[in-house]
Amino acid sequence: MEYSVFDIIGPVMIGPSSSHTAGATKIGYIARGIFGEDVTEVTFFLHGSFAKTYRGHGTDKALLAGIMGFLPDDERIKNAYKIIEKKGIHYTFTGKDLGEVHPNTVKIHMIGRTGREMIVMGSSIGGGKVVITKINDFDVDFNGEYTTLITKHVDRPGVMASITSILAQNKVNIAFMKLFRQAKGDYARLVLESDEDIDRHVLEDISKMDNVVDVTLIQKLIL
Amino acid sequence: MHYKNGIELLELCRVHDMHIHEIALKNECINSALEQDDIKEKMLEHFHIMATSIKRGLDEKERNIKGFMIGGEAKKLKKYHENHRSVCGETMSKAISYALSVMEVNVSMGRIVACPTAGSCGVLPAVLLSVKEKFDLDEEDMIKGLFTSGAVGSIIGKNASLSGAEGGCQAEVGSASAMAAAAVVEILGGTPKQALHGSAIALKNLMGLICDPVAGLVEAPCAKRNAIGTSNAMIAAEMALAGIKSIIPFDEVVVAMGKVGRMLPVALRETSEGGIATTPTGLRLKKKIFGQDKKR
């Protein structure tokens, strides 16, 4: 693994634990970004070490903070319970064996104002680094360190080419790109990470395309 | 400017006639495609956060700088060395109070810089700030020290580990101590070679150190081990600056540390299934803290 000096002298974060606190905030933050609207009800299914030590490490506060859109260095994390109660957001923490996953994994079930629901699952893999592993039934794999574009589209020829050409026209350089699908011709998900920020109008252009069901953009976490 | 170990880093220093911190800065510029000034500015911000985390735990007015088991120790030590005959001498006593302070801020969910991890976040700020105060150094020196530390930390990360779960506390506090030793050596005018001797000495001194957090929390023995890492870094730097060499070269020490980490039983690697975590008192504390299902 290659390290930036800021991986070693950093991240700037709220203690006490980079994997249990900073990583948990990031997972909550990214989950909210993927959901794309304010959460009114949330359930956290905690697995492994997350389930065992979440209270002592403030993992619970970190997850609540993240779901409200706070970043890992936000001093408000400490008061996350008070803040979320004031906002009237319902939350539940429950231990659950999520199977063969990283010991620090959480599955987040979100419900929004309109009744829309979504599940996002992620793991905190050490030093504050995270990986998002599931969006609803789809397996995915990205970390929020890049600006990330996620599409849900129908698995048809040419969809990918059209998306990448819109990005090329807008001078967006693709750093990483992964495609996930459930079955041939069924729905597929594209997770595309770029160095540059992506404008909202690019998002709108992509969402208007045939076969594209929805598009989500999560701007890079600045830490 | 790429280096995978200490030998390659020293060779780059020799060829370019640069210090370790200069190589680390250039390397960061190349990899991040950012300007030098922006990178240094970001590092200075990190130093300011470190300095603030030291002050918070020592500030009389700050309340609630405590965790489940620790809190108030930094202030106690400060009072002691201000009013009594210090066994360690003023600089050392101050430095270890700084390390305790940062850890107290960390466990109370305050803002810190993980360096290299949150569990070892006291060492580097404590060493750098106490040396700054003793020799009246400036912020530019602190930035240099942080880049030197970053280079040493990245080599340890690549060739051994920086995580307690993988390598025990030697990988966290041991690495932090090695990073801080190199920083002090360079800041005080030592050569790159001397800096790595300092790192090697520091890392050797803490080799085999197990990770056995009581109740699984980053409090005990973590805070006091940050104090040990701090004093150890200063001892190692002093020796290296005097021209004392590590008998075993830095790279070999790093690889040995990685191997020791893998040899450590899982019970002694952050699982709280051994060491002081499973002493009668350790278990009693765990029950006391987690027996109650209350929000804090």
Side-chain angles (χ1 to χ4, degrees):
Chain A
M1 162 168 187
E2 275 308 314
Y3 291 95
S4 150
V5 275
F6 296 109
D7 290 331
I8 308 291
I9 316 295
V12 175
M13 57 168 279
I14 299 301
S17 160
S18 35
S19 28
H20 288 77
T21 324
T25 314
K26 267 194 206 174
I27 294 173
Y29 179 94
I30 298 169
R32 178 187 190 263
I34 301 168
F35 190 46
E37 63 174 286
D38 284 347
V39 175
T40 54
E41 199 177 329
V42 58
T43 308
F44 299 98
F45 298 96
L46 300 163
H47 171 89
S49 169
F50 263 14
K52 281 187 199 157
T53 68
Y54 73 95
R55 263 176 244 119
H57 283 120
T59 312
D60 46 354
K61 293 175 186 173
L63 286 166
L64 294 176
I67 224 72
M68 291 189 282
F70 303 171
L71 285 167
D73 68 336
D74 197 315
E75 297 267 14
R76 290 175 296 177
I77 292 172
K78 198 174 172 177
N79 303 316
Y81 274 112
K82 264 186 210 151
I83 302 170
I84 204 154
E85 274 160 21
K86 224 178 191 175
K87 284 179 187 272
I89 300 169
H90 294 278
Y91 58 85
T92 313
F93 290 98
T94 177
K96 192 178 164 85
D97 185 348
L98 298 172
E100 292 298 308
V101 293
H102 189 280
N104 290 326
T105 296
V106 57
K107 186 166 99 172
I108 307 175
H109 177 232
M110 296 168 282
I111 303 177
R113 225 166 278 286
T114 56
R116 200 173 132 248
E117 297 182 38
M118 184 180 263
I119 287 170
V120 172
M121 192 158 99
S123 305
S124 179
I125 57 171
K129 292 200 175 293
V130 304
V131 55
I132 301 298
T133 53
K134 234 181 212 316
I135 301 173
N136 290 332
D137 292 334
F138 275 91
D139 292 327
V140 293
D141 176 9
F142 70 99
N143 63 20
E145 287 175 21
Y146 295 84
T147 294
T148 309
L149 182 88
I150 304 166
T151 69
K152 181 181 179 185
H153 60 266
V154 184
D155 180 33
R156 292 269 156 74
V159 178
M160 296 281 291
S162 312
I163 293 171
T164 50
S165 77
I166 288 179
L167 292 168
Q169 284 158 22
N170 287 280
K171 300 203 177 342
V172 173
N173 184 42
I174 299 168
F176 304 100
M177 187 164 78
K178 292 160 204 149
L179 188 63
F180 304 85
R181 70 174 186 189
Q182 285 174 318
K184 194 176 173 185
D186 198 344
Y187 287 123
R189 239 177 236 283
L190 167 71
V191 177
L192 187 150
E193 297 169 283
S194 75
D195 301 312
E196 297 85 4
D197 288 346
I198 298 175
D199 278 347
R200 304 292 315 175
H201 78 264
V202 179
L203 202 64
E204 280 157 27
D205 289 352
I206 295 173
S207 67
K208 281 181 207 145
M209 286 171 41
D210 287 347
N211 294 316
V212 171
V213 181
D214 68 48
V215 192
T216 305
L217 181 67
I218 304 152
Q219 298 293 3
K220 162 167 81 173
L221 299 175
I222 298 162
L223 296 175
Chain B
M1 289 292 164
H2 178 80
Y3 48 88
K4 66 173 182 294
N5 54 31
I7 289 182
E8 290 184 9
L9 176 61
L10 290 181
E11 181 60 14
L12 285 171
C13 290
R14 191 189 64 78
V15 170
H16 297 280
D17 190 23
M18 281 181 177
H19 294 286
I20 293 173
H21 62 83
E22 293 170 298
I23 299 286
L25 176 59
K26 284 246 188 285
N27 191 42
E28 188 68 18
C29 284
I30 295 164
N31 289 338
S32 67
L34 293 172
E35 297 297 321
Q36 268 200 16
D37 285 349
D38 294 335
I39 294 171
K40 283 169 77 174
E41 186 63 34
K42 188 173 170 187
M43 197 55 104
L44 181 62
E45 276 170 33
H46 282 30
F47 174 70
H48 286 154
I49 294 163
M50 288 177 172
T52 305
S53 64
I54 286 173
K55 285 198 192 79
R56 281 186 70 173
L58 289 167
D59 190 338
E60 288 297 331
K61 284 166 274 177
E62 278 270 7
R63 283 169 203 281
N64 301 323
I65 301 287
K66 66 193 290 290
F68 292 90
M69 288 175 274
I70 64 165
E73 288 81 13
K75 265 185 212 170
K76 261 185 204 163
L77 193 55
K78 181 177 178 234
K79 259 190 201 143
Y80 183 79
H81 72 68
E82 281 173 355
N83 300 306
H84 298 80
R85 289 179 297 173
S86 162
V87 179
C88 301
E90 203 206 333
T91 304
M92 186 72 88
S93 187
K94 214 172 168 182
I96 55 182
S97 74
Y98 288 177
L100 292 175
S101 179
V102 177
M103 283 301 285
E104 285 167 29
V105 170
N106 181 49
V107 303
S108 66
M109 300 195 80
R111 184 183 285 148
I112 53 99
V113 181
C115 53
T117 62
S120 58
C121 67
V123 177
L124 198 54
V127 172
L128 286 178
L129 202 78
S130 54
V131 170
K132 179 180 188 290
E133 287 169 1
K134 180 169 173 71
F135 298 106
D136 200 17
L137 303 171
D138 56 26
E139 288 183 334
E140 188 67 26
D141 291 316
M142 297 296 104
I143 295 175
K144 287 177 187 170
L146 290 173
F147 278 105
T148 308
S149 305
V152 169
S154 69
I155 291 172
I156 299 175
K158 264 181 247 180
N159 298 289
S161 173
L162 297 169
S163 127
E166 271 181 277
C169 196
Q170 55 167 10
E172 297 204 17
V173 168
S175 300
S177 195
M179 288 158 58
V184 173
V185 172
E186 275 213 329
I187 291 172
L188 296 184
T191 64
K193 268 187 190 163
Q194 283 177 314
L196 290 194
H197 278 302
S199 289
I201 294 168
L203 199 52
K204 282 189 299 181
N205 284 350
L206 295 177
M207 198 175 291
L209 190 57
I210 64 174
C211 179
D212 51 351
V214 174
L217 300 175
V218 194
E219 298 192 20
C222 320
K224 294 183 185 95
R225 284 199 186 142
N226 272 257
I228 254 305
T230 297
S231 55
N232 178 55
M234 294 165 84
I235 292 165
E238 184 98 324
M239 284 194 261
L241 282 164
I244 298 172
K245 291 176 181 165
S246 169
I247 307 290
I248 310 298
F250 172 71
D251 285 329
E252 293 182 33
V253 174
V254 169
V255 171
M257 189 272 267
K259 281 185 183 165
V260 169
R262 288 189 290 278
M263 278 188 254
L264 284 173
V266 172
L268 303 179
R269 283 190 268 156
E270 215 182 282
T271 53
S272 301
E273 287 168 348
I276 63 152
T278 51
T279 55
T281 302
L283 293 172
R284 185 175 53 76
L285 284 165
K286 184 183 173 192
K287 201 171 168 196
K288 192 179 155 202
I289 295 164
F290 291 117
Q292 53 192 14
D293 189 357
K294 262 197 339 205
K295 293 170 203 163
R296 270 209 308 160

